Amino acid sequence: AQRVTQPEKLLSVFKGAPVELKCNYSYSGSPELFWYVQYSRQRLQLLLRHISRESIKGFTADLNKGETSFHLKKPFAQEEDSAMYYCALKGGGYNKLIFGAGTRLAVHP
Amino acid sequence: NAGVTQTPKFQVLKTGQSMTLQCAQDMNHNSMYWYRQDPGMGLRLIYYSASEGTTDKGEVPNGYNVSRLNKREFSLRLESAAPSQTSVYFCASIQESNYGYTFGSGTRLTVV
């Protein structure tokens, strides 16, 4: 079955601390994975996609097929990073996305 | 440069009432989607439309119907609202060559 698991509902860190938001997936084919972010009172927006191997707002994510993971990392968290983060897997055709339950990141001053 | 526009932004319904959530995109995208967002469950796909004139069920279609009126518009209808349909509803669209969804701002629906 296709599934995305984000084990942490809430991740609370202090400003300047490293951040790692965990994402594990279950998929039989070659996965396409994404991270979406939702800031307070804003719409969901694409943060990263594994296929482009980019770094956005200091965040990176590496696809590890052996561990079936796509963890999101940032070396030094900022208060403006506080948001809800969703990991998503493209699966089932027609560009359908399967989302994880989300992790709320809270960065404290 | 509106992107994806959803109306209304907020709605309160009584159990048994019906309503239609509207979604329109101005990016000439082929595919459109309706998701619901619930705490602890992430976003779950209700219905999608791969192209104009086609619609298909997603993960949680019960209690909903959709219409792809034209390439721009994709509406979601609740025929007889139930408290279990209290949620935030998001519409999204994507072009085939673009891997990222563009989301609307959401509709917060409460059924009492």
Side-chain angles (χ1 to χ4, degrees):
Chain A
Q2 300 163 6
R3 187 169 55 246
V4 176
T5 303
Q6 293 180 251
E8 303 139 330
K9 289 186 178 179
L10 172 66
L11 185 62
S12 187
V13 302
F14 287 103
K15 176 182 174 181
V19 167
E20 181 178 65
L21 291 95
K22 291 183 168 48
C23 172
N24 289 91
Y25 66 90
S26 173
Y27 187 65
S28 58
S30 184
E32 291 185 53
L33 286 144
F34 308 82
W35 277 99
Y36 281 81
V37 60
Q38 187 178 28
Y39 300 102
S40 179
R41 302 185 186 281
Q42 294 187 25
R43 63 188 68 193
L44 279 139
Q45 55 187 284
L46 178 67
L47 180 63
L48 282 178
R49 44 183 181 157
H50 92 269
I51 198 168
S52 58
R53 302 185 63 82
E54 57 205 341
S55 173
I56 303 293
K57 299 184 180 183
F59 285 98
T60 59
D62 291 319
L63 178 61
N64 186 322
K65 292 186 179 180
E67 296 182 358
T68 61
S69 68
F70 188 56
H71 302 329
L72 184 67
K73 299 177 184 179
K74 185 170 183 177
F76 307 103
Q78 303 299 315
E79 289 179 67
E80 56 264 31
D81 295 329
S82 295
M84 194 74 177
Y85 291 81
Y86 291 97
C87 183
L89 166 70
K90 192 161 103 172
Y94 300 110
N95 291 308
K96 289 184 287 185
L97 288 182
I98 300 162
F99 286 85
T103 298
R104 181 167 299 281
L105 175 64
V107 182
H108 304 286
Chain B
N1 193 20
V4 177
T5 303
Q6 287 183 239
T7 56
K9 293 191 184 305
F10 301 95
Q11 184 71 48
V12 179
L13 289 179
K14 293 183 179 178
T15 297
Q17 287 185 316
S18 62
M19 79 162 296
T20 299
L21 281 65
Q22 307 287 353
C23 175
Q25 51 91 9
D26 60 3
M27 297 169 288
N28 202 37
H29 285 174
N30 289 323
S31 302
M32 298 184 73
Y33 309 81
W34 276 105
Y35 283 86
R36 58 178 289 173
Q37 181 187 42
D38 300 292
M41 303 188 77
L43 282 81
R44 293 178 293 168
L45 182 63
I46 305 170
Y47 270 93
Y48 67 100
S49 171
S51 61
E52 183 179 358
T54 69
T55 61
D56 278 292
K57 295 178 180 179
E59 182 186 357
V60 289
N62 291 345
Y64 305 95
N65 283 300
V66 291
S67 295
R68 184 74 182 268
L69 304 170
N70 46 55
K71 192 168 187 179
R72 290 186 65 248
E73 299 172 285
F74 187 40
S75 61
L76 178 71
R77 182 160 178 85
L78 287 72
E79 291 291 351
S80 179
S84 61
Q85 294 178 305
T86 294
S87 187
V88 181
Y89 292 85
F90 287 99
C91 178
S93 69
I94 190 172
Q95 187 61 302
E96 288 301 320
S97 60
N98 182 342
Y99 293 99
Y101 280 8
T102 300
F103 279 91
S105 57
T107 296
R108 186 173 294 275
L109 175 67
T110 302
V111 183
V112 296

